[in-house]
């Protein structure tokens, strides 16, 4: 029987996270405070994050020790298995060797606990008694709930009321892990009460929920706030995915020619890709592909510019890979993949030609998800299907070219709590769209007069 | 590829909300922000119907601007703003992309 799973022992788990800030070909420009125009400092974030996490956020150390207490808890599901997708290879009749890192094995079903656990731990060390956060469908909220339970920290999740009512299973997962899951808007914060005064039947919004979560953190010195994506300390914690994968690929006797991950906020993509990006920066030839929806191409068609966040240009100024504030993208039906601006680090690595962005239509992603489910068995989360679809494209290209390409992708989570999106696909309710070039051109014109950050090079 | 319509959909037509991670009705999108549309409504419905024309027709110029001006705000600025609002005890109606976690 041929090997399909490459497993590390707990003792072989990486002892350090990787921080790509140390190796960026072009150093990152700091985010600027919207009020002062000066770089944001630790004191700006101290009301909601503990200092040990703020230090990681701004750290340029290449390696950051993973505390034993975190390793002990990571060991519940880590090291996650690396699979050789032999059945998918067979289904595609491709000479490519396909590997995937299965992050769906965490108790919460995705990669999110990799940072939730670290954030809960560092808060515990800093003396935090309670952590607040916001959630929509609940993937992040449930991950944080579980990890707070591990460290005996109270967890308060403001779940958007419409989600609270529509997604009972994630809510129940949070409650099972001991979190207080409150429908937002709530009567528990000024922000929530203010909204309910105006509309007692408000179904809530993610913006309202984050306001409540931040307010509660700011209002109590023993309470902090946690975020599951985009920020650098999140990317650092997720790097354990790629660091494990490097060891496992070595076990398999292979090294990837292609690395693939779906990219929304960027954390699952970064988790797998950044350790390999370091290899590429040091001379390895790897094609590192960040996949996004064609219907919302933040990476594939956008310039890198200072994006003024509103039409009166009052809220600058983080260098973002963006289509500009007047850009109007098309529909998309895969959750978690549609931040208007991509992670600044990912954006810069695109400019530096370390990462290559690609876009895929949603129907292709669901078709790929079915191919994967019917060959490898696992049902992917909708956003994860973007990576599966790109992998299939690359595998079929290898077949056309007759090349024995080695492809590695991040299977970031299962879709078992999100079967409604598959139902929509089966019913033919999803549609593909393409953005007319003239609309993009018009949006890009808006950016021509704005100040530009450095575009690669030092 | 789907066809483009000039008329708005009925309130019960659904799309998957990229921010929340599940299906929502058009009725939610057009009134998500205390009766004003979600700032992403233009993004999510643009190619299904003339959503820009629709909101320009149904909202005043000021309301249209208020609903859609905050696209592209990065996470860090959003957080700093919210911290300052919470410190001052003056919560404002929040909006902004990329905020929050599904």
């Amino acid at each position: 029987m041929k090997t399909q799973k490459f497993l590390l022992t707990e003792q072989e788990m990486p002892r350090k996270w990787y921080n790509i800030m140390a190796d960026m070909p072009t150093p990152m420009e700091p985010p600027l405070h919207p009020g002062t125009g000066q770089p944001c400092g630790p004191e700006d974030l101290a009301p909601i994050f503990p200092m040990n996490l703020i230090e990681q956020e701004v750290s340029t150390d290449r390696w950051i020790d993973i505390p034993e207490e975190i390793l002990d808890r990571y060991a519940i599901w880590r090291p996650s298995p690396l699979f050789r997708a032999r059945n998918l290879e067979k289904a595609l009749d491709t000479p490519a060797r396909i590997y995937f890192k299965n992050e769906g094995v965490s108790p919460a079903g995705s990669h999110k606990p990799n940072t939730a656990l670290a954030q809960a731990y560092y808060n515990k060390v800093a003396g935090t008694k309670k952590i607040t956060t916001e959630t929509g469908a609940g993937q992040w909220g449930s991950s944080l709930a579980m990890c707070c339970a591990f460290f005996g920290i109270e967890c308060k999740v403001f779940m958007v009321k419409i989600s609270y009512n529509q997604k009972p299973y994630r809510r129940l997962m949070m409650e099972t892990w001991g979190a207080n899951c409150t429908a937002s808007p709530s009567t528990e914060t000024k922000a929530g009460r203010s909204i309910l005064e105006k509309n007692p039947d408000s179904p809530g919004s993610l913006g309202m929920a984050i306001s409540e979560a931040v307010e509660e953190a700011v209002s109590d010195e023993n309470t902090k706030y946690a975020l599951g994506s985009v920020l650098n300390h999140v990317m650092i914690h997720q790097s354990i995915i790629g660091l494990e994968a490097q060891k496992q690929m070595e076990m398999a006797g292979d090294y990837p020619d292609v690395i693939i991950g779906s990219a929304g906020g960027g954390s699952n993509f970064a988790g797998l890709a950044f350790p390999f990006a370091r290899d590429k920066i040091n001379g390895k030839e790897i094609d590192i592909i960040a996949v996004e929806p064609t219907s919302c191409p933040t990476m594939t068609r956008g310039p890198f510019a200072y994006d003024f966040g509103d039409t009166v240009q009052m809220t600058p100024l983080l260098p973002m890979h963006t289509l500009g504030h007047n850009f109007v993208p098309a529909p998309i039906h895969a959750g978690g993949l549609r931040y208007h601006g991509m992670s600044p680090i990912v954006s810069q690595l695109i400019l530096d030609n370390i990462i290559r962005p690609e876009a895929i239509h949603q129907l292709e992603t669901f078709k790929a998800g079915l191919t994967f489910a019917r060959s490898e068995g696992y049902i992917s989360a909708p956003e994860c299907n973007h990576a599966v679809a790109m992998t299939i494209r690359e595998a079929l290209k290898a077949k056309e070219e007759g090349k024995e390409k080695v492809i590695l992708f991040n299977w970031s989570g299962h879709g078992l709590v999100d079967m409604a999106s598959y139902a929509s696909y089966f019913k033919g309710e999803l549609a593909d769209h393409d953005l007319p070039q003239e609309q993009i051109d018009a949006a890009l014109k808006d950016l021509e007069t704005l100040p530009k950050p450095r575009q690669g090079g030092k | 590829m789907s066809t483009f319509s000039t008329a708005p959909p009925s309130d019960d037509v659904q799309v998957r909300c990229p921010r929340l991670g599940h299906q929502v009705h058009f009725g939610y999108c057009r009134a998500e922000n205390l009766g004003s549309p979600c700032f992403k409504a233009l993004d999510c419905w643009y190619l299904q119907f003339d959503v820009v024309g629709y909101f320009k027709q149904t909202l005043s110029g000021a309301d249209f601007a208020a609903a859609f001006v905050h696209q592209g705000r990065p996470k860090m600025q959003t957080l700093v703003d919210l911290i300052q609002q919470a410190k001052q005890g003056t919560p404002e109606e929040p909006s902004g992309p990329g905020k929050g976690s599904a």
Side-chain angles (χ1 to χ4, degrees):
Chain A
M1 184 177 289
K2 292 177 180 173
T3 303
Q4 294 197 56
K5 294 187 291 295
F6 296 91
L7 305 171
L8 298 171
T9 66
E10 284 85 346
Q11 289 69 35
E12 292 170 311
M13 203 186 318
R15 262 42 185 178
K16 295 174 190 292
W17 290 300
Y18 171 60
N19 180 11
I20 200 166
M21 292 289 277
D23 293 312
M24 293 292 288
T26 305
M28 295 298 295
E29 296 175 38
L32 303 181
H33 191 292
T36 64
Q38 298 301 308
C40 289
E43 67 283 359
D44 294 316
L45 296 171
I48 59 170
F49 294 123
M51 199 50 71
N52 47 18
L53 282 174
I54 294 173
E55 285 168 4
Q56 287 187 1
E57 182 64 26
V58 299
S59 173
T60 54
D61 292 344
R62 181 172 291 110
W63 301 104
I64 295 173
D65 289 336
I66 307 176
E68 280 297 322
E69 294 87 341
I70 293 178
L71 290 168
D72 285 344
R73 294 293 185 168
Y74 268 168
I76 293 172
W77 72 94
R78 307 208 70 85
S80 69
L82 178 80
F83 283 79
R84 171 84 182 269
R86 292 187 187 275
N87 299 298
L88 178 63
E89 292 169 13
K90 192 175 174 185
L92 300 174
D93 188 28
T94 176
R97 298 192 291 283
I98 302 173
Y99 296 85
F100 67 96
K101 186 73 168 153
N102 186 342
E103 290 297 306
V105 297
S106 79
S110 77
H111 67 292
K112 297 277 189 185
N114 294 334
T115 185
L117 184 70
Q119 292 191 52
Y121 168 79
Y122 284 111
N123 270 285
K124 180 73 174 178
V125 169
T128 303
K129 304 297 182 197
K130 180 164 79 173
I131 300 178
T132 65
T133 196
E134 77 292 339
T135 202
Q139 193 183 62
W140 166 243
S142 57
S143 299
L144 187 66
M146 176 183 79
C147 296
C148 282
F150 290 163
F151 291 109
I153 299 175
E154 189 181 342
C155 181
K156 176 77 166 285
V157 181
F158 288 94
M159 187 174 191
V160 180
K161 190 178 286 180
I162 189 173
S163 311
Y164 186 91
N165 293 329
Q166 283 189 27
K167 302 292 283 186
Y169 296 119
R170 284 281 179 194
R171 168 162 55 91
L172 288 166
M173 288 167 70
M174 290 180 238
E175 290 171 352
T176 301
W177 279 312
N180 177 341
C181 182
T182 300
S184 170
S186 75
T187 57
E188 298 180 23
T189 65
K190 287 178 186 170
R193 288 191 295 274
S194 167
I195 291 158
L196 288 172
E197 276 175 22
K198 296 170 189 164
N199 180 7
D201 298 321
S202 170
S205 70
L206 212 47
M208 293 174 192
I210 192 173
S211 291
E212 292 203 89
V214 168
E215 181 187 322
E216 191 154 320
V218 170
S219 305
D220 177 4
E221 63 178 350
N222 293 317
T223 300
K224 295 296 179 188
Y225 167 78
L227 190 62
S229 192
V230 176
L231 300 182
N232 192 42
H233 65 268
V234 176
M235 309 294 167
I236 289 170
H237 303 152
Q238 293 294 354
S239 69
I240 193 164
I241 302 171
L243 295 168
E244 285 181 1
Q246 286 180 320
K247 290 188 173 190
Q248 290 162 310
M249 291 300 297
E250 199 174 328
M251 286 172 71
D254 261 332
Y255 188 90
D257 300 302
V258 185
I259 304 274
I260 295 170
S262 61
S267 71
N268 101 72
F269 168 77
L272 178 67
F274 281 5
F276 289 96
R278 176 174 181 250
D279 289 352
K280 185 167 183 174
I281 291 165
N282 289 325
K284 275 273 189 187
E285 283 192 19
I286 322 170
D287 191 9
I288 303 177
I289 306 174
V291 193
E292 67 176 4
T294 301
S295 47
C296 188
T298 55
M299 296 181 292
T300 45
R301 297 196 193 188
F304 192 69
Y306 277 109
D307 182 42
F308 284 76
D310 61 27
T311 52
V312 291
Q313 301 186 351
M314 289 296 289
T315 54
L317 296 167
L318 189 70
M320 298 289 280
H321 215 259
T322 174
L323 287 168
H325 51 274
N326 286 335
F327 167 61
V328 183
I332 175 60
H333 299 258
L337 263 183
R338 263 201 48 194
Y339 294 110
H340 190 77
M342 176 52 60
S343 151
I345 297 175
V346 172
S347 297
Q348 187 60 55
L349 289 171
I350 291 170
L351 282 173
D352 290 333
N353 296 316
I354 304 299
I355 292 168
R356 177 166 69 89
E358 284 279 357
I360 294 188
H361 279 299
Q362 64 180 337
L363 294 185
E364 184 180 341
T365 69
F366 276 99
K367 186 181 172 194
L370 297 192
T371 300
F372 188 71
R374 292 170 188 178
S375 55
E376 294 295 330
Y378 293 101
I379 297 174
S380 318
E383 61 271 24
C384 183
N385 277 336
H386 287 73
V388 177
M390 193 68 228
T391 297
I392 290 176
R393 272 195 194 179
E394 287 293 317
L396 294 177
K397 191 166 87 178
K399 181 180 176 181
E400 279 178 20
E401 295 171 348
K403 288 183 180 171
E404 290 190 4
K405 197 179 286 182
V406 177
I407 304 168
L408 168 63
F409 74 97
N410 197 17
W411 197 78
S412 56
H414 68 66
L416 299 180
V417 198
D418 199 10
M419 295 309 293
S421 57
Y422 282 83
S424 297
Y425 175 71
F426 291 135
K427 289 178 191 170
E429 294 173 350
L430 305 183
D432 280 340
H433 303 271
D434 213 352
L435 197 67
Q437 187 61 45
E438 57 267 27
Q439 287 186 25
I440 294 175
D441 292 343
L444 298 187
K445 264 194 164 182
D446 292 338
L447 291 170
E448 288 175 357
T449 58
L450 302 182
K452 306 290 189 295
R454 287 167 293 180
Q455 301 246 344
K458 296 181 181 176
Chain B
M1 297 290 161
S2 67
T3 54
F4 184 86
S5 167
T6 53
S10 63
D11 273 356
D12 61 352
V13 173
Q14 293 190 351
V15 293
R16 185 180 176 89
C17 174
R19 302 175 69 211
L20 297 177
H22 57 76
Q23 301 293 111
V24 296
H25 300 94
F26 177 61
Y28 177 77
C29 303
R30 67 171 182 76
E32 179 250 14
N33 191 353
L34 285 178
S36 295
C38 170
F39 72 93
K40 280 289 187 187
L42 300 185
D43 302 356
C44 294
W45 294 92
Y46 181 69
L47 288 181
Q48 305 213 18
F49 78 106
D50 181 13
V51 64
V52 175
Y54 169 76
F55 281 122
K56 282 190 170 170
Q57 203 168 40
T58 55
L59 300 173
S60 69
D63 287 345
F64 184 92
F68 300 116
V69 293
H70 285 294
Q71 296 184 58
R73 292 193 71 194
K75 192 84 79 179
M76 195 74 86
Q77 275 72 42
T78 300
L79 291 174
V80 171
D81 272 352
L82 287 174
I83 290 167
Q84 297 197 336
Q85 285 175 26
K87 279 181 173 175
Q88 292 160 4
T90 54
E92 293 177 7
E93 180 52 31
S95 63
K99 291 182 358 178
S101 307

